[in-house]
């Protein structure tokens, strides 16, 4: 079987990560990020979507080294809080390269962002638009619309955005309040497996933008949000398919007017750069008749594996002993669980995973593709387990 470019890239990245783990032997669980992979993924997204402004969604992985690398590569940033603003500024981002994209914010946090030089905000409500006008006078605003996120692994539901006609009214209000109404934003759901998953939202956004332009409000911008996928057990379609579908959709719905376009990828930039190393705490059985072993790891739902909820994200696993991958057979089916005393701290019981039959306490189980939404979701000390430590290799 010939190996793809992606396999070779992962081989090299995994070798760098394993070299670090062998040399430094950090306590587990821990996350190791391969910075060259972050750079390569960012570059690939920018190349697939030229002329599109790339705003990295910091919440996916806020490791300072990741933010610094992306700032140096010329990325802009999507932030949700004063702490994320400070992080980006401290790591080399210009205030003008930051979008405060969280529609849920305190008035004093808006004032703080403005004081630090942030001039772009995303909103979805009248109260928030008025707060931006009061505390960030003259700033630019995008209005987020509610969209159908069919096809995504993590739909955003109804928490963010408002109906397009309300967004249009709020853009008119922004103008009256002295703000610069810039355009429309949305998020088509995270880990969007359908390259056409943005089409309905782009159609709705175009409706608002073109209508207000016809009224004389010079809206310019379309913010496509996040949702670009990463490879886990299941491989998504190639990035080029997404770029083609999105570009065609913008041309179809916007016609002669070509908007300034932004994307806010999080997962697609960092997921594939990360390996989460866990240690096997216990291997046991629940009865003599059930063939499945229960494998308890020192990493669980509260220690960085939040996205195993509903088994939505299925990480590829590699079992290792003394730093060397164990032979893949003989193997048998397992249920995987975390170390805490919480009944929900079970990672996979429906997704079929097999691990070596002689797996035992002290072996490692490495989770691949774990660079996004792991360290940033881990709890501070549930049951006394420390938060997931992150290390970066160059
Ligand atoms: C989380 C988030 C993103 C990133 O989403 P991904 O699916 O990880 O790409 C982008 N924009 C906003 C507003 C978000 O909240």
């Amino acid at each position: 079987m010939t190996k793809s470019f992606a396999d070779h890239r992962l081989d090299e990245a995994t070798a760098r990560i394993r070299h670090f783990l062998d040399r430094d032997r950090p306590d587990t669980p821990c996350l190791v990020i391969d910075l060259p992979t972050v750079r390569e993924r960012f570059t690939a997204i920018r190349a697939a979507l030229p002329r599109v402004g790339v705003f990295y969604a910091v919440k996916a992985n806020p490791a300072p080294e990741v933010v610094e690398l992306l700032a140096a590569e010329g990325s802009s940033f999507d932030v949700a809080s004063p702490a994320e603003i400070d992080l980006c500024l401290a790591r080399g981002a210009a205030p003008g390269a930051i979008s405060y994209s969280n529609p849920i914010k305190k008035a004093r946090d808006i004032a703080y962002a403005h004081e630090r030089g942030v001039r772009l905000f995303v909103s979805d409500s009248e109260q928030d638009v008025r707060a931006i006008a009061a505390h960030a006078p003259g700033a630019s605003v995008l209005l987020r619309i509610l969209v159908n996120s069919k096809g995504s692994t993590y739909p955003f539901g109804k928490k963010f955005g408002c109906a397009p006609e309300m967004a249009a009214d709020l853009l008119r209000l922004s103008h009256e309040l002295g703000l610069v109404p810039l355009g429309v934003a949305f998020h088509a759901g995270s880990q969007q497996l359908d390259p056409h998953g943005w089409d309905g939202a782009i159609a709705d956004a175009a409706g608002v933008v073109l209508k207000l332009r016809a009224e004389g409000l010079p809206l310019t911008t379309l913010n496509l949000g996040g949702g670009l996928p990463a490879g886990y057990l299941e491989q998504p379609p190639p990035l080029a398919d997404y770029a083609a579908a999105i570009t065609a959709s913008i041309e179809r719905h916007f016609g002669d007017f070509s908007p300034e376009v932004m994307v806010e990828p999080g997962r697609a930039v960092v997921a594939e750069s990360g390996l989460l190393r866990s240690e096997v705490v216990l291997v046991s059985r629940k009865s003599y008749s059930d063939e499945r072993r229960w494998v308890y790891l020192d990493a669980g739902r509260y220690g960085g594996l939040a996205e195993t909820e509903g088994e939505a994200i299925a990480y590829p696993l590699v079992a290792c002993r003394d730093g060397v991958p164990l032979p893949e057979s003989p193997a048998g089916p397992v249920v995987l669980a975390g170390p805490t005393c919480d009944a929900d701290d079970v990672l996979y019981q429906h997704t079929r995973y097999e691990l070596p039959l002689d797996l035992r306490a002290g072996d490692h189980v490495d989770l691949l593709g774990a660079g996004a939404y792991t360290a940033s979701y881990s709890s501070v000390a549930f049951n006394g387990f420390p938060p997931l430590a992150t290390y970066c290799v160059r």
Side-chain angles (χ1 to χ4, degrees):
M1 204 172 91
T2 56
K3 287 194 156 188
S4 69
F5 170 69
D7 288 334
H8 283 298
R9 174 169 58 76
L10 285 178
D11 285 352
E12 279 178 31
T14 309
R16 277 189 293 268
I17 290 172
R18 291 205 184 289
H19 175 74
F20 164 78
L21 287 167
D22 287 346
R23 195 193 58 203
D24 284 33
R25 301 186 180 273
D27 267 352
T28 62
C30 66
L31 174 67
V32 189
I33 296 290
D34 181 59
L35 292 172
T37 302
V38 176
R39 182 182 297 112
E40 191 271 335
R41 290 285 78 202
F42 173 76
T43 306
I45 292 168
R46 206 169 37 183
L49 294 164
R51 294 183 302 282
V52 171
V54 181
F55 288 66
Y56 170 62
V58 173
K59 73 177 187 291
N61 190 316
E65 296 91 333
V66 169
V67 172
E68 188 168 292
L69 179 154
L70 292 171
E73 290 292 319
S75 182
S76 298
F77 296 90
D78 155 18
V79 304
S81 65
E84 286 188 349
I85 293 171
D86 288 346
L87 168 67
C88 293
L89 294 176
R91 295 291 160 169
I98 294 176
S99 170
Y100 199 152
S101 291
N102 186 353
I104 317 298
K105 41 197 167 318
K106 295 173 180 171
R108 62 177 176 278
D109 293 347
I110 296 168
Y112 181 81
H114 184 251
E115 189 189 303
R116 302 301 310 263
V118 176
R119 295 291 180 269
L120 175 57
F121 296 80
V122 178
S123 187
D124 67 359
S125 67
E126 181 177 343
Q127 179 191 307
D128 188 59
V129 166
R130 290 189 183 279
I132 295 168
H135 299 283
S140 297
V141 286
L142 293 159
L143 259 289
R144 181 157 165 183
I145 55 172
L146 259 174
V147 300
N148 172 345
S149 39
K150 215 164 76 226
S152 95
T153 306
Y154 274 104
F156 270 63
K158 298 210 183 319
K159 178 170 174 183
F160 304 105
C162 61
E165 59 273 22
M166 185 181 276
D169 282 341
L170 293 175
L171 285 161
R172 293 184 190 101
L173 176 68
S174 306
H175 175 67
E176 285 160 25
L177 296 174
L179 296 167
V180 180
L182 214 59
V184 174
F186 60 82
H187 195 307
S190 200
Q191 184 69 359
Q192 175 57 261
L193 294 172
D194 178 3
H196 300 279
W198 283 257
D199 187 62
I202 291 172
D204 288 350
V208 173
V209 169
L210 296 179
K211 181 169 194 309
L212 292 188
R213 284 182 64 82
E215 286 175 19
L217 268 192
L219 301 191
T220 54
T221 304
L222 172 67
N223 178 345
L224 300 168
L228 290 176
Y232 296 102
L233 268 193
E234 190 186 354
Q235 286 302 316
L239 195 53
D241 293 9
Y242 287 83
I246 287 170
T247 306
S249 179
I250 292 172
E251 280 171 10
R252 189 161 61 246
H253 299 298
F254 280 85
D256 292 339
F257 176 65
S258 80
E260 305 277 336
V261 182
M262 303 165 52
V263 279
E264 299 174 329
R267 184 185 304 282
V269 178
V270 287
E272 291 171 18
S273 71
L275 181 152
L276 194 158
R277 166 153 286 189
S278 70
E279 183 179 317
V280 176
V281 179
L282 175 73
V283 182
S284 68
R285 287 181 187 277
K286 297 295 176 191
S287 77
Y288 297 114
S289 56
D290 189 351
E291 183 204 3
R292 293 188 306 175
R293 291 161 296 155
W294 279 65
V295 174
Y296 298 87
L297 305 175
D298 63 359
R301 184 68 55 80
Y302 304 95
L305 298 175
E307 294 209 304
T308 57
E309 187 176 349
E311 307 194 17
I313 297 294
Y315 299 98
L317 304 183
V318 179
C320 296
R321 182 170 298 156
D322 303 323
V324 182
L326 288 167
E328 280 173 28
S329 67
V334 294
V335 173
L336 282 147
T340 68
C341 295
D342 185 294
D344 282 334
D345 191 7
V346 175
L347 307 174
Y348 301 111
Q349 50 189 330
H350 304 294
T351 311
R352 194 177 160 86
Y353 277 103
E354 295 207 339
L355 287 174
L357 290 179
D358 76 336
L359 188 78
R360 58 179 191 238
D363 289 342
H364 289 132
V365 172
D366 291 342
L367 294 91
L368 309 185
Y373 302 115
T374 45
S376 52
Y377 272 168
S378 92
S379 71
V380 171
F382 181 55
N383 258 179
F385 293 104
L388 186 65
T390 302
Y391 303 93
C392 294
V393 297
R394 284 164 208 281

